[in-house]
């Protein structure tokens, strides 16, 4: 086994662990990770990053689906939009790709504000992305089912992407109902982007889904596992009486689970920075902090309902600290990869990672 293969496995494991730190202490992240790791059989963040790196090239079109609207004040939450914008920046930095955020109308103020923070030109017309570099797009996706289906076919026929990535985007259950974390029906609030995700998957487009509970697009990949161990997930256990649970029916070929979806997305970006040997792909602490504050000032709400710079109940500085640790891990892995021949060869010879 080559030394970079050993490094990728171990850095991926570390990034997965950082993505699944549990400051709230109720353990759902550990439950989800076990199921996702059994499915993927490889570090989740590194698996997704490797798949992206192998697929993307100059000018690649990438759809990033995000935007979960909470019943609390009927506003979009912080989680998802922050890392989606940072991912858009990373894809432009690393590949000169053409990322497009696809989200509900509720997220548009944050997207417009954050695009400037990312240093990217923003267009609401995909066609313009082919004419301008250092740019990204944004598309409002319908909340009404029939319109969502029609718009999905339009995008698939006219602008088929090279990859689609879902970050904390809602997914309906087997009954067609979208739920929040405690099983309330939020169908009317949500953009039906899971329809687009599933259609692109059917067409063979590289797909990656990031979630932190089970009600997000793509988490149907480990549906039976989530139903067994996560509250409100089993059939009939939600709070709305639809007969299903909160688990998304939409599945993905590649999944990342995390304590906070943003952390899983940041872990994937960190893995991309390692693969490309370019630390500029991964945002620094100042940009992470500014992104969270800007999203909050643009009306995105914390999971708790407060309009504060926090993500899923975790304060801004903790989010920054976790990002900082990811940066340190990537920098050090790159640094020590060029030393320590005896250790790499010794570990390889004894065969632990080959299994």
């Amino acid at each position: 086994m080559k030394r970079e293969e050993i490094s990728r496995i171990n850095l991926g494991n570390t990034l997965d662990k950082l993505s699944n730190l549990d400051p709230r202490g109720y353990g759902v992240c550990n439950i989800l990770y076990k199921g996702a790791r059994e499915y993927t059989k490889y570090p989740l963040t590194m698996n997704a990053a490797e798949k992206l790196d192998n697929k993307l090239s100059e000018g690649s079109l990438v759809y990033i689906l995000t935007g979960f609207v909470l019943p609390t004040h009927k506003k979009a939450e912080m989680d998802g939009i922050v890392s989606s914008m940072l991912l858009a920046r990373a894809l432009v930095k690393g590949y000169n790709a053409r990322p497009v955020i696809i989200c509900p109308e509720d997220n548009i103020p944050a997207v417009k504000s954050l695009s400037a923070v990312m240093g990217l030109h923003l267009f609401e017309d995909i066609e313009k992305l082919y004419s301008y570099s250092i740019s990204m797009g944004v598309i409002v996706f319908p909340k009404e089912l029939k319109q969502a289906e029609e718009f999905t076919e339009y995008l698939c026929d006219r602008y088929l992407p090279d990859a689609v990535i879902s970050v904390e985007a809602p997914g309906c259950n087997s009954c067609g109902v979208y739920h929040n974390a405690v099983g309330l029906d939020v169908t009317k609030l949500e953009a039906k982007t899971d329809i687009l995700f599933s259609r692109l998957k059917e067409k063979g487009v590289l797909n990656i889904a990031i979630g932190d509970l089970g009600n997000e697009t793509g988490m149907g990949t480990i549906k039976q596992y989530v139903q067994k161990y996560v509250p409100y997930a089993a059939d009939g256990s939600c709070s709305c009486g639809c007969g299903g649970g909160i688990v998304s029916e939409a599945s993905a070929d590649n999944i990342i689970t995390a304590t906070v979806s943003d952390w899983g997305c940041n872990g994937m970006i960190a893995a991309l920075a390692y693969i490309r040997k370019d630390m500029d792909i991964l945002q620094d602490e100042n940009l992470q902090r500014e992104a969270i504050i800007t999203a909050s000032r643009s009306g995105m709400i914390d999971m708790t309902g407060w309009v504060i710079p926090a993500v899923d109940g975790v304060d801004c500085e903790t989010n920054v600290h976790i990002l900082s640790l990811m940066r340190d891990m990537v920098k050090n892995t790159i640094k020590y990869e060029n030393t320590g021949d005896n250790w790499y060869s010794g570990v390889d010879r004894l065969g632990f990672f080959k299994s």
Side-chain angles (χ1 to χ4, degrees):
M1 183 179 290
K2 296 179 180 179
R3 64 164 57 191
E4 183 163 329
E5 292 179 87
I6 296 173
S7 293
R8 286 192 183 199
I9 290 170
N10 287 293
L11 176 60
N13 284 333
T14 299
L15 295 173
D16 283 7
K17 290 174 183 175
L18 290 173
S19 301
N20 285 277
L21 293 177
D22 192 6
R24 297 188 295 250
Y26 56 62
V28 169
C29 56
N30 297 316
I31 294 169
L32 293 177
Y33 184 75
K34 187 173 187 296
R37 186 59 184 259
E38 288 175 356
Y39 167 77
T40 304
K41 297 178 175 60
Y42 194 73
L44 310 183
T45 49
M46 190 62 70
N47 169 68
E50 288 181 358
K51 297 288 179 59
L52 269 178
D53 183 66
N54 289 333
K55 183 66 178 179
L56 300 185
S57 58
E58 178 90 12
S60 288
L61 183 64
V62 181
Y63 288 167
I64 305 173
L65 317 182
T66 193
F68 213 122
V69 181
L70 303 182
T72 309
H73 302 99
K74 296 181 175 58
K75 290 189 175 182
E77 68 166 321
M78 292 278 287
D79 190 21
I81 191 62
V82 174
S83 65
S84 290
M85 294 296 295
L86 291 164
L87 175 59
R89 171 192 173 275
L91 296 178
V92 174
K93 283 276 186 182
Y95 303 89
N96 196 23
R98 301 296 187 265
V100 179
I101 300 290
I102 300 181
C103 61
E105 179 73 39
D106 313 69
N107 287 102
I108 295 302
V111 173
K112 289 181 176 179
S113 297
L114 284 165
S115 62
V117 174
M118 299 301 126
L120 299 177
H121 300 276
L122 181 67
F123 297 103
E124 297 179 46
D125 181 354
I126 293 179
E127 206 66 46
K128 289 185 177 179
L129 295 180
Y130 296 106
S131 301
Y132 298 97
S133 61
I134 319 174
S135 63
M136 62 172 291
V138 63
I139 292 175
V140 174
F141 203 80
K143 295 185 178 184
E144 196 276 323
L145 182 60
K146 189 173 187 301
Q147 291 178 0
E149 292 171 340
E150 292 172 350
F151 196 42
T152 288
E153 293 309 312
Y154 166 78
L155 289 175
C156 289
D157 289 343
R158 188 159 185 183
Y159 300 108
L160 191 69
D162 297 286
V164 58
I165 305 165
S166 175
V167 187
E168 187 67 11
C172 71
N173 69 3
S174 58
C175 302
V177 178
Y178 298 75
H179 293 87
N180 75 342
V182 294
L184 296 177
D185 183 349
V186 292
T187 303
K188 292 182 179 180
L189 299 177
E190 311 303 342
K192 308 302 185 288
T193 52
D194 55 330
I195 294 174
L196 175 61
F197 186 92
S198 295
R199 187 74 179 101
L200 291 172
K201 179 173 177 281
E202 288 175 2
K203 285 182 168 288
V205 173
L206 172 64
N207 57 90
I208 298 166
I210 304 173
D212 59 26
L213 183 63
N215 57 341
E216 304 91 359
T217 293
M219 295 302 107
T221 304
I222 53 172
K223 179 179 178 179
Q224 291 182 332
Y225 185 88
V226 176
Q227 286 181 319
K228 185 175 181 179
Y229 294 112
V230 175
Y232 306 103
D235 287 343
S237 66
C238 62
S239 306
C240 74
C242 71
I246 67 172
V247 186
S248 167
E249 188 69 10
S251 64
D253 293 326
N254 305 282
I255 60 172
I256 296 174
T257 61
T259 303
V260 177
S261 291
D262 274 354
W263 299 358
C265 188
N266 283 344
M268 181 178 70
I269 298 170
L272 287 173
Y274 168 75
I275 291 170
R276 304 291 284 187
K277 302 296 188 286
D278 182 359
M279 287 303 300
D280 198 30
I281 288 174
L282 179 59
Q283 69 273 16
D284 64 17
E285 293 85 349
N286 290 332
L287 183 54
Q288 179 72 51
R289 185 180 293 107
E290 186 177 0
I292 292 173
I293 292 172
T294 300
S296 176
R297 299 294 183 262
S298 301
M300 304 297 96
I301 63 173
D302 180 37
M303 175 185 72
T304 61
W306 286 82
V307 190
I308 56 174
V311 186
D312 269 5
V314 181
D315 64 84
C316 182
E317 288 309 304
T318 299
N319 281 274
V320 173
H321 290 329
I322 291 173
L323 178 275
S324 185
L325 285 170
M326 289 181 177
R327 285 187 60 84
D328 287 343
M329 297 304 103
V330 174
K331 283 189 294 185
N332 282 314
T333 301
I334 293 173
K335 175 182 177 181
Y336 287 106
E337 210 170 48
N338 297 316
T339 63
D341 285 338
N342 290 338
W343 280 102
Y344 279 100
S345 60
V347 167
D348 182 35
R349 184 175 64 254
L350 295 173
F352 177 84
F353 293 106
K354 291 178 181 177
S355 62

